Amino acid sequence: MLIAVDKVRAAAGDRKREYRVEELAEAAGITTRTLRFYRERKLLQPPRKEGRIAWYGEEHLARLRMIGELLERGHTLGGIAELIGAGESGRDVAELIGLEAAIVAPWSDETPVRLTWDELKATFGDQLTEENTAESIAQGYIAIDDDGITHISRRLMDATTALVAEGVPLAVVLDASRRTQEHVDAIAEIFIELVSEQLLGALSADTPLPPGEAARLTERILRVRPLARTVADAQFTLAMDRRVHAEYDELLRQRRENSSERENSGEGESGDDTEA
């Protein structure tokens, strides 16, 4: 008798937990309406049917939790459906998610800074015009509200403040910022083209990535990312060396010409006086 009871208990312990629709939705922290919507979008695998009752298991709960995590990361339902399809076709979803994370990971680590209108007025004075404010908004650097602004980069804000304090008009700083932004966008486009064509060509193919390829691409991206900053920094500093020397040489040449013209002019006037 005791042996029979033990067998029943063991069988009950081995049986996986199953959920009705309402129970599964509650366990996943979503509404039954959302759960049914996921089923209609084929994001959730079919349940086990027992008569008219649909039973869901731990695998369904795990799928719902994964969907929630991906939504929190900014994935769309369409993108999640593609990832799920990739997993069902034998590809490693975790590797694909890791690849996407490596591709879209932020390059900048800028810290936003908050300034009130009074602080801005004290810093920029009468240069805090509607035109300058509109230009800053158009460049995508600031967001405004009734109490002041939020600049996306403390470093850029500090640089702007320092240049204005040195006597450079705010409008001139903003014009230089706009032109610089255009050039760095072009530089970024060069790197994007290089990486897309030379390193990530497999992603544009119609065929699925072979097993392990997503992980290999992820490692490659992580190795290449620091190189882009290194190249950009080296190219910029070398360009500054070239331009500074060229501009300084031109300045010296002009000063020599002006000095020579003044000397020649003085000699001419002296000669006229002698003849007279």
Side-chain angles (χ1 to χ4, degrees):
M1 179 67 179
L2 290 175
I3 294 175
V5 170
D6 288 341
K7 288 182 177 180
V8 170
R9 287 176 178 173
D14 292 340
R15 187 181 303 126
K16 292 183 179 180
R17 171 72 189 276
E18 289 191 313
Y19 307 83
R20 290 173 179 262
V21 172
E22 297 80 5
E23 295 171 334
L24 180 63
E26 181 179 0
I30 61 175
T31 65
T32 55
R33 181 177 180 181
T34 299
L35 191 152
R36 290 191 174 96
F37 175 72
Y38 289 165
R39 280 185 53 188
E40 292 171 1
R41 294 289 300 269
K42 300 188 184 304
L43 297 175
L44 200 62
Q45 53 269 65
R48 181 180 71 83
K49 288 294 188 68
E50 191 174 280
R52 299 182 61 182
I53 300 177
W55 291 101
Y56 297 86
E58 294 293 338
E59 67 276 13
H60 296 92
L61 181 57
R63 173 69 62 83
L64 289 173
R65 287 173 175 167
M66 182 188 74
I67 293 172
E69 291 176 2
L70 292 174
L71 288 172
E72 289 181 359
R73 295 183 185 182
H75 292 263
T76 64
L77 288 178
I80 294 173
E82 291 182 7
L83 288 173
I84 291 174
E88 291 175 346
S89 64
R91 288 176 286 169
D92 191 321
V93 175
E95 288 186 0
L96 292 172
I97 294 174
L99 174 58
E100 182 184 31
I103 292 174
V104 303
W107 284 74
S108 66
D109 52 2
E110 300 300 321
T111 302
V113 58
R114 172 78 180 168
L115 295 171
T116 66
W117 291 116
D118 289 340
E119 290 172 327
L120 291 167
K121 189 68 176 177
T123 301
F124 299 114
D126 58 5
Q127 297 189 70
L128 188 63
T129 62
E130 291 185 5
E131 292 77 10
N132 286 336
T133 302
E135 177 63 23
S136 298
I137 295 173
Q139 291 185 28
Y141 290 125
I142 69 169
I144 67 172
D145 55 40
D146 293 339
D147 299 323
I149 71 158
T150 299
H151 197 293
I152 63 173
S153 170
R154 178 180 291 276
R155 292 195 301 169
L156 289 177
M157 187 66 197
D158 288 346
T160 299
T161 302
L163 287 170
V164 172
E166 293 293 336
V168 182
L170 179 57
V172 174
V173 174
L174 291 173
D175 179 67
S177 172
R178 177 182 52 78
R179 289 186 291 137
T180 300
Q181 191 178 69
E182 293 172 355
H183 287 293
V184 295
D185 280 347
I187 294 172
E189 183 63 30
I190 292 172
F191 280 110
I192 293 296
E193 182 178 333
L194 183 148
V195 172
S196 298
E197 294 182 358
Q198 303 299 324
L199 303 180
L200 299 179
L203 293 180
S204 60
D206 295 332
T207 57
L209 293 177
E213 182 63 17
R216 285 191 289 271
L217 290 176
T218 300
E219 293 175 357
R220 176 177 287 182
I221 291 172
L222 294 177
R223 289 194 301 268
V224 168
R225 281 174 67 98
L227 300 180
R229 281 194 172 189
T230 299
V231 171
D233 180 68
Q235 291 279 26
F236 175 72
T237 53
L238 289 171
M240 286 295 294
D241 286 340
R242 291 193 299 270
R243 295 300 301 165
V244 167
H245 285 293
E247 289 296 322
Y248 187 65
D249 290 344
E250 177 63 17
L251 177 63
L252 292 178
R253 186 188 66 78
Q254 291 179 0
R255 289 179 64 87
R256 286 194 297 268
E257 287 184 356
N258 293 337
S259 177
S260 177
E261 289 176 359
R262 285 194 299 270
E263 291 176 359
N264 293 335
S265 177
E267 291 176 0
E269 292 176 0
S270 175
D272 292 341
D273 290 343
T274 301
E275 291 179 2

